[in-house]
Amino acid sequence: NTLIFAPLIFAGLLLEPAPFLRALAAFSLFSLTSSAGYIVNDIADRERDRLHPLKRGRPIAAGLVPGRVALLAATALAAVALPVAFRLSGAFGAILLVYLALSVGYSLFLKRLPVVELATVPLFYLGRVWAGALVLTVPLSVYLAATTYLGALVVAVAKRLQEEKLPPAARGSVLVRYRTSALRTALFLSSAAALAAYGLWVIHIIQERSLAPLPLLGSILFVALGLWQFVSRVATTRPYQDVEAVLWHPLLLATIAIWLVMVTLPFYVR
């Protein structure tokens, strides 16, 4: 959900109190709505999650929270978040409503459709960035949107590759429709496309905002390095390791931290 702050940062408004508070409110409302969507997903997947080495400890899968109670909680979260979101911004509220509908649709049937489910997952991340732009009424660059979508696609494909290492009963039913070689190819191609989209965004934003080019151009190297570290670990890690654990590798975290400094500073230090 921190992706909501991306338009705020890249519009140079991070240090402005009013836009920051609007973005913070949007972050909070999106957190409530996405939590409702995740609860529905956990209810739908509770039987399979009980066979998963990590997900079996989740409250719904472990039987600590009954499905009916969880559904009531999801309904309450959405009922609180959506009206407030529409009061904050009509466009933001609409994005939140579409996000929730897509999330429920994904949990109930879209995740069982090969390719469609992979194409759907990045839309959740793109929706966060778009929502951040709408609530601040700042334009969303098509290059930033493409970078977000393709970067999320890299993570989605990586998750499918990792899930292939699980016991058959713990895998999603859609996995049998994928070949490992095809997923590996998709991982490499989506990584290359994400890097290209990011490079185009850097060139675009330098020209549009007359920013110092050196840090931003240098940040492309760290995006490439981060993608290489992530993809190489996903492609070689045995046995199963959650993708989030791969992302928390100290060297990858250091790469991300350096990238954040290089990509942010030009917007605030002239």
Side-chain angles (χ1 to χ4, degrees), residues 76 132 231 246:
V231 169
V246 177

Side-chain angles (χ1 to χ4, degrees), residues 138-217:
V138 297
L140 176 61
S141 164
V142 65
Y143 302 111
L144 182 59
T147 301
T148 303
Y149 184 90
L150 292 167
L153 182 60
V154 172
V155 176
V157 175
K159 284 188 175 185
R160 297 298 170 269
L161 271 171
Q162 292 297 80
E163 287 168 358
E164 286 201 333
K165 302 168 187 177
L166 289 168
R171 301 175 187 173
S173 59
V174 75
L175 271 180
V176 299
R177 308 287 294 275
Y178 292 125
R179 294 183 179 179
T180 302
S181 58
L183 286 174
R184 286 179 180 271
T185 300
L187 182 65
F188 293 129
L189 290 178
S190 58
S191 299
L195 181 60
Y198 179 77
L200 290 172
W201 174 76
V202 165
I203 294 170
H204 168 75
I205 203 69
I206 288 173
Q207 294 175 343
E208 183 182 63
R209 301 285 299 278
S210 300
L211 299 172
L214 191 57
L216 284 165
L217 291 173

Side-chain angles (χ1 to χ4, degrees), residues 29-234:
L29 293 168
F30 217 113
S31 295
L32 292 175
T33 306
S34 60
S35 294
Y38 291 138
I39 290 172
V40 172
N41 186 68
D42 282 1
I43 295 171
D45 285 354
R46 61 186 182 275
E47 296 298 333
R48 195 181 76 227
D49 285 351
R50 286 170 184 153
L51 304 173
H52 194 283
L54 299 178
K55 296 179 181 180
R56 63 189 177 194
R58 292 179 175 179
I60 298 172
L64 301 175
V65 178
R68 183 175 298 178
V69 173
L71 186 59
L72 285 173
T75 304
L77 288 171
V80 169
L82 289 173
V84 180
F86 275 102
R87 286 184 66 86
L88 183 64
S89 163
F92 173 70
I95 282 287
L96 226 56
L97 184 59
V98 170
Y99 172 93
L100 183 60
L102 187 62
S103 180
V104 172
Y106 178 82
S107 298
L108 297 181
F109 62 91
L110 289 176
K111 65 163 53 180
R112 297 177 179 84
L113 304 177
V115 182
V116 172
E117 60 93 19
L118 273 180
T120 301
V121 170
L123 292 176
F124 297 127
Y125 297 88
L126 178 58
R128 288 165 165 89
V129 177
W130 195 4
L134 288 174
V135 80
L136 296 173
T137 61
V138 297
L140 176 61
S141 164
V142 65
Y143 302 111
L144 182 59
T147 301
T148 303
Y149 184 90
L150 292 167
L153 182 60
V154 172
V155 176
V157 175
K159 284 188 175 185
R160 297 298 170 269
L161 271 171
Q162 292 297 80
E163 287 168 358
E164 286 201 333
K165 302 168 187 177
L166 289 168
R171 301 175 187 173
S173 59
V174 75
L175 271 180
V176 299
R177 308 287 294 275
Y178 292 125
R179 294 183 179 179
T180 302
S181 58
L183 286 174
R184 286 179 180 271
T185 300
L187 182 65
F188 293 129
L189 290 178
S190 58
S191 299
L195 181 60
Y198 179 77
L200 290 172
W201 174 76
V202 165
I203 294 170
H204 168 75
I205 203 69
I206 288 173
Q207 294 175 343
E208 183 182 63
R209 301 285 299 278
S210 300
L211 299 172
L214 191 57
L216 284 165
L217 291 173
S219 73
I220 297 174
L221 175 62
F222 285 91
V223 170
L225 181 60
L227 282 169
W228 174 77
Q229 291 178 65
F230 178 74
V231 169
S232 62
R233 287 192 174 89
V234 167

